[in-house]
């Protein structure tokens, strides 16, 4: 009987151990899934132009996922206390800020929406000059602007082909900063024009060198980043190198910093072009290469560059939505509905 009892409890012990191990494996699996795209909180993400409301997912995790980089640069979430402090610190200073956008060929269709939304949300109360680098000055709308805010068109030669434009954008930007922009403003930001401001963007974004986290790679492991992998390219990033993957939809900072970045990227692109090569992610590849060597002093969270796709990180507040990348992420049927 005693033997029978002891063998029964032995059996129970084995079963319990198996059960425990199964639970542990299940918990690990759930943890892994949550790390990729979790449903954590009851908070809801505000609906922007491009996205429908949905569960905040990684929002709270991501909101507190990082407030500072390892090199002590702030990671900016617009509603955080740190951002409020940054805005307060800037409240009694006057800044002149340039916002540069390329508007070449058919992209002029995006300009009005971009400007109207910027006038609603971008650095309200500050001096803002929109540098519209365009091949068609007539495409610049005749908008009435409040005092201290102006449209300042800059003519660039015709670039009929997108691939060609992607090769020269950095050099055109460097040239515009050198010849004009640096004399007129302290800060310059560069954005893709097929975007829309959907919530306030204030002085919390100001910094010497500002880069924005790509919403599809924020919080993802380093090995998933689409850094340039071809060794001969000037944009090449070695395995294990890098901190974050930044988007080319929005970057900026002091004129001198952005000029140095645009000039270096121009040289890298030129060297690759001469060798008959171009980085897979176009200038985003060169930008990321540069930002590994010269880390940004201010990192904007994906609130400042967002679009709805299964891969994007949920954010507490969408502030700038990329209409272009949103369209690219949609199924063909939904593209038509959104008039992409
Ligand atoms: N662009 C333009 N004309 C073109 C292609 C691009 O003016 O024919 C400008 C425009 O500001 C656009 C930006 O370059 O927003 C980036 O181009 P795109 O949106 O095609 O690139 P991606 O979002 O894929 O980086």
């Amino acid at each position: 009987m005693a033997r029978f009892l002891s063998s029964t409890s032995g059996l129970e012990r084995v079963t319990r151990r198996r059960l425990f191990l199964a639970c542990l494996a299940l918990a690990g699996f759930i943890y892994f899934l949550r790390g990729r795209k979790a449903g954590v909180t009851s908070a809801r993400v505000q609906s922007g132009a491009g996205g429908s409301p949905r569960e905040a997912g990684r929002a709270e995790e991501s909101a507190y996922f990082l407030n500072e980089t390892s090199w002590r640069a702030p990671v900016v979430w617009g509603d955080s206390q740190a951002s409020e402090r940054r805005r307060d610190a800037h409240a009694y200073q006057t800044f002149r800020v340039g916002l540069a956008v390329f508007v070449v060929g058919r992209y002029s269709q995006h300009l009005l929406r971009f400007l109207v939304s910027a006038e609603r949300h971008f650095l309200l109360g500050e001096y803002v000059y929109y540098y519209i680098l365009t091949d068609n000055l007539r495409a610049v709308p005749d908008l009435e602007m409040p005092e201290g805010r102006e449209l300042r068109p800059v003519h660039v030669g015709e670039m009929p082909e997108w691939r060609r434009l992607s090769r020269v954008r950095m050099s055109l930007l460097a040239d515009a900063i050198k010849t004009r922009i640096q004399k007129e403003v302290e800060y310059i930001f560069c954005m893709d024009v097929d975007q829309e401001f959907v919530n306030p963007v204030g002085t919390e974004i100001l910094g010497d060198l500002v880069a924005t986290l790509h919403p599809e790679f924020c919080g993802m492991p380093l090995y998933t980043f689409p850094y340039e992998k071809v060794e001969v390219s000037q944009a090449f990033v070695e395995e294990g190198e890098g901190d974050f993957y930044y988007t080319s939809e929005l970057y900026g900072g002091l004129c001198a910093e952005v000029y140095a970045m645009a000039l270096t990227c121009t040289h890298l692109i030129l060297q690759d072009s001469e060798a008959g090569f171009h980085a897979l992610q176009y200038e985003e590849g060169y930008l990321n290469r540069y930002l590994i060597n010269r880390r940004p002093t201010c990192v904007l969270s994906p609130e400042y560059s967002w679009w709805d796709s299964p891969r994007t990180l949920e954010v507490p507040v969408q502030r700038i939505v990329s209409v272009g990348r949103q369209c690219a992420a949609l199924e063909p049927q939904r593209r038509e509905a959104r008039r992409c």
Side-chain angles (χ1 to χ4, degrees), residues 99-164:
L99 183 52
V101 280
F102 281 91
V103 181
V104 173
R106 64 186 177 83
Y107 275 69
S108 57
Q109 65 178 307
H110 299 287
L111 183 58
L112 185 61
R113 175 179 47 197
F114 177 86
L115 290 171
V116 169
S117 71
E119 276 306 284
R120 220 173 272 151
H121 297 296
F122 183 64
L123 289 175
L124 298 185
E126 305 296 331
Y127 290 93
V128 172
Y129 305 141
Y130 297 94
Y131 293 98
I132 300 163
L133 290 88
T134 182
D135 59 340
N136 177 11
L137 293 172
R138 276 175 303 170
V140 180
D142 188 14
L143 273 188
E144 208 175 298
M145 312 280 280
E147 210 187 316
R149 300 174 74 97
E150 281 173 35
L151 302 183
R152 296 192 169 176
V154 178
H155 186 255
V156 295
E158 207 173 328
M159 312 283 160
E161 207 210 323
W162 186 88
R163 276 176 69 85
R164 181 162 149 62

Side-chain angles (χ1 to χ4, degrees), residues 101-105 107 162 165 169 191-194 248-249 325:
V101 280
F102 281 91
V103 181
V104 173
Y107 275 69
W162 186 88
L165 181 64
R169 242 179 330 218
M191 288 180 68
D192 282 5
V193 75
D194 54 346
S248 60
E249 302 272 309
R325 294 202 182 187

Side-chain angles (χ1 to χ4, degrees), residues 66-76 86 209 295-299:
L66 204 59
N67 287 316
E68 200 174 69
T69 65
S70 61
W71 61 97
R72 316 224 55 185
V75 178
V76 179
R86 286 165 72 77
L209 182 60
R295 286 161 152 176
T297 63
C298 176
V299 175

